[in-house]
Amino acid sequence: MSIFRADLLKGQTAFITGGSSGINLGIAHRFVEHGANVVIVARNPEKLAAARAGLEAKGGRVMACSVDVRDYESMAKAAAEAAAEFGAIDIVVAGAAGNFIAPAAAMSANAFAAVVGIDLQGTFNTFRSTFEYLRKPGARLMVISAPQAVNPTPLQAHVCAAKAGIEAFVRSAAIEWGAVGVRINGISPGGVLGTEGLERLSAGLDEKFSQSLPVPRYATLDEMADMALILVTPVTDYMTGHIVALDGGISLLGGTYAQAFQKK
Ligand code: COA
């Protein structure tokens, strides 16, 4: 049961990239449960249609845009359409992300560019394309980062670079956009059950890994959605430029910690 009123986000509009799956779809559901209109933006039309149907089944007003966050013109079009349909945008979640495990020395330039393009450029494109439609003052923006932003992690150099860039961008933009009443924060999740990211990253790890963490388990989608909700409530009105480590303490252990749990 949520500790927040069911009508907390009534009439508000949330624009969510990567919104057809994983953490971002979980956030979209939580926002709909609290009365928001949601715009979900993602590449795959079939996944988008399924996500939209699930959100509408909860009574949400939903717009689904099939767009690659790396394509600025298409992002600008999606943001304009969202504003035309729902009015000012109250909440933006820049959540689209790419990931694979690969050594830096064996990765193509295009592979590195794919992850930096989706994560870092995609975050800029999301915030920049929605900026003119944001409710000012009052809009709340958030990113989905990762412990790789602060922990150098083998086989994740591309992700480390992208996520560190995102966190640096958040801190700078929070200063600039604070002046017009827009605050920007983020969540840095560790492993989250029910996500493609965890499937990819944990495939080669012994299951004892999650039990060895300071909070000895992976997170749930509900925990991510609840934190996203907190970041858009008045409870966090005085907070900006901050990334919440919602990671069970994994970021305390360093990026090489998981290596000891590689399956033989
Ligand atoms: N190892 C090395 N390189 C890889 C790779 C892997 N596992 N997967 C993709 N690449 C490379 C491709 O070979 C290509 O480089 P090339 O042109 O030099 O061959 C480059 O990355 C771009 O690949 P492309 O297939 O054009 O895909 P894309 O631009 O659509 O993005 C992913 C590819 C892998 C980044 C993206 O599909 C993805 O991340 N999907 C998973 C989403 C996910 O798990 N999200 C949660 C993140 S925590």
Side-chain angles (χ1 to χ4, degrees):
M1 195 185 67
S2 174
I3 60 169
F4 294 104
R5 290 193 331 261
D7 64 348
L8 184 76
L9 302 178
K10 195 167 170 46
Q12 297 194 28
T13 297
F15 185 98
I16 305 173
T17 61
S20 65
S21 63
I23 294 172
N24 306 302
L25 179 57
I27 291 172
H29 273 275
R30 186 66 84 255
F31 289 175
V32 162
E33 286 157 12
H34 286 273
N37 311 315
V38 294
V39 182
I40 51 172
V41 178
R43 270 196 291 179
N44 183 310
E46 288 80 34
K47 279 170 70 178
L48 261 174
R52 176 189 192 147
L55 291 163
E56 283 177 341
K58 278 193 176 152
R61 282 181 71 201
V62 185
M63 174 183 276
C65 306
S66 176
V67 170
D68 186 328
V69 291
R70 291 171 286 189
D71 173 0
Y72 187 80
E73 293 311 314
S74 301
M75 285 295 292
K77 195 163 163 278
E81 284 171 5
E85 177 74 15
F86 295 128
I89 297 173
D90 301 278
I91 297 166
V92 181
V93 179
N99 199 346
F100 48 81
I101 292 174
M107 196 185 308
S108 72
N110 198 37
F112 189 87
V115 170
V116 172
I118 297 168
D119 291 37
L120 178 55
Q121 184 72 46
T123 294
F124 172 82
N125 289 351
T126 301
F127 289 176
R128 178 67 185 83
S129 64
T130 50
F131 184 78
E132 75 172 281
Y133 309 108
L134 295 179
R135 189 173 305 287
K136 304 183 195 85
R140 290 133 291 159
L141 278 46
M142 82 181 74
V143 298
I144 307 299
S145 186
Q148 288 93 321
V150 290
N151 282 342
T153 308
L155 310 181
Q156 289 278 277
H158 46 321
V159 176
C160 292
K163 296 297 192 185
I166 287 173
E167 294 196 3
F169 173 68
V170 163
R171 288 188 285 270
S172 296
I175 298 173
E176 291 187 23
W177 296 1
V180 290
V182 172
R183 57 191 183 82
I184 315 177
N185 293 293
I187 301 171
S188 179
V192 183
L193 294 167
T195 64
E196 190 178 340
L198 180 64
E199 245 169 65
R200 287 180 175 232
L201 295 177
S202 67
L205 292 180
D206 189 290
E207 64 182 30
K208 290 196 184 74
F209 175 70
S210 63
Q211 295 153 25
S212 79
L213 300 174
V215 180
R217 61 176 177 82
Y218 290 124
T220 65
L221 287 169
D222 275 340
E223 287 173 316
M224 298 298 131
D226 286 338
M227 181 56 74
L229 188 64
I230 288 168
L231 290 180
V232 301
T233 65
V235 170
T236 50
D237 258 357
Y238 201 55
M239 185 172 132
T240 197
H242 185 69
I243 308 292
V244 178
L246 188 61
D247 64 2
I250 197 171
S251 58
L252 306 172
L253 303 173
T256 57
Y257 176 75
Q259 284 185 312
F261 292 85
Q262 287 295 334
K263 282 182 189 154
K264 300 287 177 269

Coordinates of all heavy atoms in Angstrom, one line a residue, residues 54-108:
G54 N -1.3 -2.3 -20.8 CA -1.3 -2.6 -19.3 C -1.6 -1.3 -18.5 O -2.3 -1.3 -17.5
L55 N -1.1 -0.2 -19.0 CA -1.3 1.1 -18.2 C -2.7 1.6 -18.4 O -3.3 2.1 -17.4 CB -0.3 2.2 -18.8 CG 1.2 1.9 -18.4 CD1 2.1 2.7 -19.3 CD2 1.5 2.2 -17.0
E56 N -3.3 1.4 -19.6 CA -4.7 1.8 -19.8 C -5.6 0.9 -19.0 O -6.6 1.4 -18.6 CB -5.0 1.7 -21.3 CG -4.4 2.9 -22.1 CD -4.6 2.9 -23.6 OE1 -4.9 1.8 -24.1 OE2 -4.5 4.0 -24.2
A57 N -5.2 -0.3 -18.8 CA -6.1 -1.2 -18.0 C -6.2 -0.7 -16.6 O -7.2 -1.0 -15.9 CB -5.5 -2.6 -18.0
K58 N -5.3 0.1 -16.2 CA -5.4 0.7 -14.8 C -6.1 2.0 -14.8 O -6.2 2.7 -13.8 CB -4.0 0.9 -14.3 CG -3.3 -0.3 -13.7 CD -2.1 0.0 -12.9 CE -1.6 -1.3 -12.2 NZ -0.2 -1.2 -12.0
G59 N -6.6 2.4 -16.0 CA -7.4 3.6 -16.1 C -6.5 4.8 -16.5 O -7.0 6.0 -16.4
G60 N -5.3 4.6 -16.9 CA -4.4 5.8 -17.2 C -4.7 6.4 -18.6 O -5.1 5.6 -19.5
R61 N -4.5 7.7 -18.7 CA -4.4 8.3 -20.1 C -3.0 8.1 -20.6 O -2.1 8.7 -19.9 CB -4.8 9.7 -20.0 CG -6.3 10.0 -19.9 CD -6.7 11.4 -19.9 NE -6.5 12.1 -21.2 CZ -6.3 13.4 -21.3 NH1 -6.2 14.2 -20.2 NH2 -6.1 13.9 -22.5
V62 N -2.8 7.4 -21.7 CA -1.5 7.1 -22.1 C -1.2 7.5 -23.5 O -2.1 7.3 -24.4 CB -1.3 5.5 -22.0 CG1 0.1 5.1 -22.3 CG2 -1.7 5.0 -20.6
M63 N 0.0 8.0 -23.8 CA 0.4 8.2 -25.2 C 1.7 7.4 -25.3 O 2.5 7.3 -24.4 CB 0.7 9.7 -25.4 CG 1.3 10.0 -26.7 SD 1.7 11.7 -26.9 CE 0.2 12.3 -27.4
A64 N 1.8 6.7 -26.4 CA 3.0 5.8 -26.7 C 3.7 6.3 -27.9 O 3.1 6.5 -29.0 CB 2.6 4.4 -26.8
C65 N 5.0 6.6 -27.8 CA 5.8 7.1 -29.0 C 6.9 6.2 -29.3 O 7.8 6.0 -28.4 CB 6.3 8.5 -28.7 SG 5.1 9.7 -28.1
S66 N 6.9 5.7 -30.5 CA 8.0 4.8 -30.9 C 9.2 5.6 -31.5 O 9.1 6.1 -32.6 CB 7.5 3.8 -32.0 OG 8.6 3.0 -32.4
V67 N 10.2 5.9 -30.6 CA 11.3 6.8 -30.9 C 12.6 6.2 -30.4 O 12.6 5.7 -29.3 CB 11.0 8.2 -30.3 CG1 12.2 9.1 -30.4 CG2 9.7 8.8 -30.9
D68 N 13.7 6.4 -31.1 CA 15.0 6.1 -30.6 C 15.5 7.4 -29.9 O 15.6 8.5 -30.6 CB 15.9 5.8 -31.8 CG 17.3 5.3 -31.3 OD1 17.8 5.8 -30.3 OD2 17.9 4.4 -32.0
V69 N 15.8 7.3 -28.6 CA 16.2 8.6 -27.9 C 17.5 9.2 -28.5 O 17.7 10.4 -28.2 CB 16.4 8.3 -26.4 CG1 15.1 8.0 -25.7 CG2 17.5 7.2 -26.1
R70 N 18.2 8.5 -29.3 CA 19.4 9.1 -29.9 C 19.0 10.1 -31.1 O 19.9 10.8 -31.5 CB 20.3 8.0 -30.5 CG 20.9 7.2 -29.4 CD 21.7 6.0 -29.9 NE 20.7 4.9 -30.3 CZ 21.1 3.7 -30.7 NH1 22.4 3.4 -30.7 NH2 20.2 2.8 -31.0
D71 N 17.8 10.0 -31.5 CA 17.3 10.8 -32.7 C 16.6 12.1 -32.2 O 15.4 12.0 -31.8 CB 16.4 9.9 -33.5 CG 15.7 10.7 -34.7 OD1 16.0 11.9 -34.8 OD2 14.9 10.1 -35.4
Y72 N 17.3 13.2 -32.1 CA 16.8 14.4 -31.5 C 15.5 14.9 -32.1 O 14.6 15.3 -31.5 CB 17.9 15.5 -31.4 CG 17.3 16.7 -30.6 CD1 17.3 16.6 -29.2 CD2 16.7 17.7 -31.2 CE1 16.7 17.6 -28.4 CE2 16.1 18.7 -30.4 CZ 16.1 18.6 -29.0 OH 15.6 19.6 -28.2
E73 N 15.5 14.9 -33.5 CA 14.3 15.4 -34.2 C 13.1 14.7 -33.8 O 12.0 15.3 -33.5 CB 14.5 15.4 -35.7 CG 15.6 16.3 -36.2 CD 15.4 17.7 -35.7 OE1 14.3 18.3 -35.7 OE2 16.5 18.3 -35.2
S74 N 13.2 13.3 -33.7 CA 12.0 12.5 -33.3 C 11.6 12.8 -31.9 O 10.5 12.8 -31.5 CB 12.3 11.0 -33.5 OG 12.6 10.8 -34.9
M75 N 12.6 13.0 -31.0 CA 12.3 13.3 -29.6 C 11.6 14.6 -29.5 O 10.6 14.7 -28.7 CB 13.6 13.3 -28.8 CG 14.2 12.0 -28.5 SD 13.2 11.0 -27.5 CE 13.3 11.9 -25.9
A76 N 12.0 15.6 -30.3 CA 11.4 16.9 -30.3 C 9.9 16.8 -30.7 O 9.0 17.4 -30.1 CB 12.2 17.9 -31.1
K77 N 9.7 15.9 -31.7 CA 8.3 15.7 -32.2 C 7.5 15.1 -31.1 O 6.3 15.5 -30.8 CB 8.4 14.8 -33.4 CG 7.2 14.8 -34.3 CD 7.5 14.3 -35.7 CE 6.3 13.8 -36.4 NZ 5.8 12.5 -36.0
A78 N 8.1 14.1 -30.4 CA 7.3 13.4 -29.4 C 7.0 14.3 -28.2 O 5.8 14.3 -27.7 CB 8.1 12.2 -28.9
A79 N 7.9 15.2 -27.9 CA 7.7 16.1 -26.8 C 6.6 17.1 -27.1 O 5.7 17.4 -26.3 CB 9.0 16.9 -26.4
A80 N 6.6 17.6 -28.4 CA 5.6 18.5 -28.9 C 4.2 17.9 -28.9 O 3.2 18.5 -28.5 CB 5.9 19.0 -30.3
E81 N 4.2 16.6 -29.3 CA 2.9 15.9 -29.4 C 2.3 15.6 -28.0 O 1.1 15.8 -27.7 CB 3.0 14.5 -30.1 CG 3.1 14.7 -31.6 CD 3.5 13.4 -32.3 OE1 3.7 12.3 -31.7 OE2 3.8 13.5 -33.5
A82 N 3.2 15.3 -27.0 CA 2.8 15.1 -25.6 C 2.2 16.4 -25.1 O 1.2 16.4 -24.4 CB 4.0 14.7 -24.8
A83 N 2.9 17.5 -25.3 CA 2.4 18.8 -24.8 C 1.0 19.2 -25.5 O 0.1 19.7 -24.8 CB 3.4 19.9 -25.0
A84 N 0.9 18.9 -26.8 CA -0.3 19.2 -27.5 C -1.5 18.4 -26.9 O -2.6 18.9 -26.8 CB -0.2 18.9 -29.0
E85 N -1.2 17.1 -26.5 CA -2.3 16.2 -26.0 C -2.6 16.6 -24.5 O -3.8 16.6 -24.1 CB -1.8 14.8 -26.1 CG -2.7 13.7 -25.5 CD -3.9 13.5 -26.4 OE1 -3.9 13.9 -27.6 OE2 -4.9 12.9 -25.9
F86 N -1.6 16.8 -23.7 CA -1.8 16.8 -22.2 C -1.5 18.2 -21.6 O -1.7 18.4 -20.4 CB -0.9 15.8 -21.5 CG -1.3 14.3 -21.9 CD1 -0.3 13.4 -22.3 CD2 -2.6 13.9 -21.7 CE1 -0.6 12.1 -22.6 CE2 -2.9 12.6 -22.0 CZ -1.9 11.7 -22.5
G87 N -0.9 19.1 -22.4 CA -0.5 20.4 -21.8 C 0.9 20.3 -21.2 O 1.7 19.4 -21.6
A88 N 1.2 21.2 -20.2 CA 2.5 21.2 -19.7 C 3.0 19.9 -19.1 O 2.2 19.1 -18.6 CB 2.6 22.3 -18.6
I89 N 4.3 19.6 -19.2 CA 4.8 18.4 -18.7 C 5.4 18.6 -17.3 O 6.2 19.5 -17.1 CB 6.0 17.9 -19.7 CG1 5.4 17.6 -21.1 CG2 6.7 16.6 -19.1 CD1 6.4 17.2 -22.1
D90 N 4.9 17.8 -16.4 CA 5.2 18.0 -15.0 C 6.4 17.2 -14.5 O 7.2 17.5 -13.6 CB 4.0 17.6 -14.1 CG 2.8 18.4 -14.4 OD1 2.7 19.5 -13.9 OD2 1.9 17.9 -15.2
I91 N 6.6 16.0 -15.1 CA 7.6 15.0 -14.7 C 8.3 14.4 -15.9 O 7.6 14.1 -16.9 CB 6.9 13.9 -13.9 CG1 6.2 14.4 -12.6 CG2 7.9 12.8 -13.6 CD1 5.2 13.4 -12.0
V92 N 9.6 14.3 -15.9 CA 10.3 13.7 -17.0 C 11.2 12.6 -16.3 O 12.0 12.9 -15.4 CB 11.1 14.7 -17.8 CG1 11.9 13.9 -18.9 CG2 10.3 15.8 -18.4
V93 N 11.2 11.4 -16.9 CA 12.1 10.3 -16.5 C 12.9 10.0 -17.7 O 12.4 9.5 -18.7 CB 11.3 9.1 -15.9 CG1 12.3 8.0 -15.5 CG2 10.4 9.5 -14.8
A94 N 14.3 10.2 -17.6 CA 15.2 9.8 -18.7 C 15.7 8.4 -18.3 O 16.7 8.3 -17.5 CB 16.3 10.8 -18.8
G95 N 15.1 7.4 -18.8 CA 15.4 6.1 -18.3 C 15.9 5.1 -19.4 O 16.3 4.0 -19.1
A96 N 15.9 5.5 -20.7 CA 16.4 4.6 -21.7 C 17.8 4.2 -21.5 O 18.6 5.1 -21.2 CB 16.1 5.1 -23.1
A97 N 18.2 3.0 -21.6 CA 19.6 2.6 -21.3 C 19.9 1.3 -22.2 O 19.1 0.5 -22.5 CB 19.8 2.3 -19.9
G98 N 21.2 1.3 -22.5 CA 21.7 0.1 -23.2 C 22.8 -0.5 -22.4 O 23.5 0.1 -21.6
N99 N 23.0 -1.8 -22.5 CA 24.1 -2.5 -21.8 C 24.5 -3.8 -22.4 O 23.6 -4.5 -22.9 CB 23.7 -2.7 -20.3 CG 25.0 -2.9 -19.4 OD1 26.0 -3.1 -19.9 ND2 24.8 -2.8 -18.1
F100 N 25.7 -4.1 -22.4 CA 26.2 -5.5 -22.7 C 27.6 -5.6 -22.0 O 28.2 -4.5 -21.6 CB 26.3 -5.7 -24.2 CG 27.0 -4.6 -25.0 CD1 28.4 -4.6 -25.0 CD2 26.3 -3.7 -25.6 CE1 29.0 -3.5 -25.7 CE2 26.9 -2.6 -26.3 CZ 28.3 -2.6 -26.3
I101 N 28.0 -6.8 -21.8 CA 29.3 -7.0 -21.2 C 30.4 -7.2 -22.3 O 30.2 -8.1 -23.1 CB 29.2 -8.3 -20.3 CG1 28.2 -8.0 -19.1 CG2 30.6 -8.7 -19.8 CD1 27.9 -9.1 -18.2
A102 N 31.4 -6.3 -22.3 CA 32.4 -6.4 -23.3 C 33.7 -5.7 -22.8 O 33.6 -4.7 -22.2 CB 31.9 -5.8 -24.6
P103 N 34.8 -6.3 -23.1 CA 36.1 -5.7 -22.8 C 36.3 -4.4 -23.7 O 36.0 -4.5 -24.9 CB 37.1 -6.7 -23.1 CG 36.5 -7.8 -23.9 CD 35.0 -7.6 -23.8
A104 N 36.8 -3.4 -23.1 CA 37.0 -2.1 -23.9 C 37.9 -2.4 -25.1 O 37.7 -1.8 -26.2 CB 37.6 -1.0 -23.0
A105 N 38.9 -3.2 -25.0 CA 39.9 -3.4 -26.1 C 39.3 -4.2 -27.2 O 39.8 -4.3 -28.3 CB 41.1 -4.1 -25.6
A106 N 38.1 -4.9 -27.0 CA 37.5 -5.7 -28.0 C 36.2 -5.1 -28.6 O 35.6 -5.7 -29.4 CB 37.3 -7.1 -27.5
M107 N 35.9 -3.9 -28.0 CA 34.6 -3.3 -28.4 C 34.8 -2.4 -29.6 O 35.8 -1.7 -29.7 CB 34.2 -2.5 -27.2 CG 32.8 -2.0 -27.2 SD 32.5 -0.9 -25.7 CE 33.2 -1.8 -24.4
S108 N 33.8 -2.4 -30.5 CA 33.9 -1.5 -31.7 C 33.6 -0.1 -31.2 O 32.9 0.1 -30.2 CB 33.0 -1.9 -32.8 OG 31.6 -1.7 -32.5

